[in-house]
Amino acid sequence: MGTTTAAQRRARAKVEYDAFLAVCPSRKLLDRLSDKWVTLVLAALGSDGTHQPGAACAGEPRAMRHSELLRLLAGVSQKMLTQTLRALERDGLVTRTVTPTVPVTVTYELTELGLSLHQLTRGLKAWAETHMDDVLAHRESYDSRVPTVAP
């Protein structure tokens, strides 16, 4: 029985990734990626930062400051945005750049890995916006047929 290198072990583990298994690390990644703030941060960083209500995220990916993201993502708290950006940086989807100015300038931008995910998140956001009326109609229909049970 021969020894295996770290690269060989990683290659074997990659083949064995199966998110349907509780112990698979890809399950934790899917959990992170399914967070609404992650989806919206990736969509924002993948656009030019200009947003018109009802319009798709347009433009080229660009670096954005924390304050820009905070203004663009209505409803996100400063703490939640910071936690989301740190998690994305840890996963290699976002890079954080500190520029020594007065005051210090910190920007975030998608990495190559983040860019590879961007189109999917942009599509998910667009799908949700496009089909929201249908979903609301189905919810209303369901709620009228199925009695609600108090907790």
Side-chain angles (χ1 to χ4, degrees):
M1 176 186 239
T3 60
T4 58
T5 66
Q8 290 169 324
R9 287 190 300 275
R10 281 194 304 273
R12 185 174 42 232
K14 184 175 183 178
V15 171
E16 296 168 1
Y17 289 152
D18 182 352
F20 287 118
L21 300 175
V23 297
C24 184
S26 65
R27 192 176 271 204
K28 287 186 189 240
L29 180 60
L30 286 173
D31 183 48
R32 167 140 323 128
L33 297 177
S34 65
D35 179 81
K36 72 178 172 188
W37 296 122
V38 167
T39 302
L40 292 173
V41 165
L42 291 174
L45 289 173
S47 67
D48 63 10
T50 58
H51 175 71
Q52 303 300 323
C57 292
E60 293 297 314
R62 71 172 182 88
M64 295 178 76
R65 295 183 67 175
H66 190 278
S67 59
E68 289 178 276
L69 289 165
L70 200 57
R71 277 192 303 274
L72 186 61
L73 304 174
V76 69
S77 68
Q78 187 169 345
K79 179 182 177 183
M80 181 53 66
L81 180 57
T82 298
Q83 288 175 346
T84 301
L85 288 166
R86 283 182 183 155
L88 291 172
E89 184 181 9
R90 181 174 183 247
D91 287 342
L93 300 172
V94 168
T95 186
R96 178 179 186 263
T97 304
V98 179
T99 306
T101 57
V102 178
V104 173
T105 303
V106 179
T107 58
Y108 299 88
E109 102 184 274
L110 296 175
T111 62
E112 287 299 315
L113 189 59
L115 285 168
S116 71
L117 181 59
H118 168 65
Q119 290 299 352
L120 293 171
T121 58
R122 182 189 236 175
L124 186 60
K125 177 185 172 289
W127 184 92
E129 293 168 345
T130 300
H131 296 286
M132 196 64 233
D133 287 339
D134 296 328
V135 171
L136 290 173
H138 284 284
R139 286 179 182 174
E140 187 176 316
S141 173
Y142 178 90
D143 291 346
S144 69
R145 292 188 324 264
V146 178
T148 57
V149 178

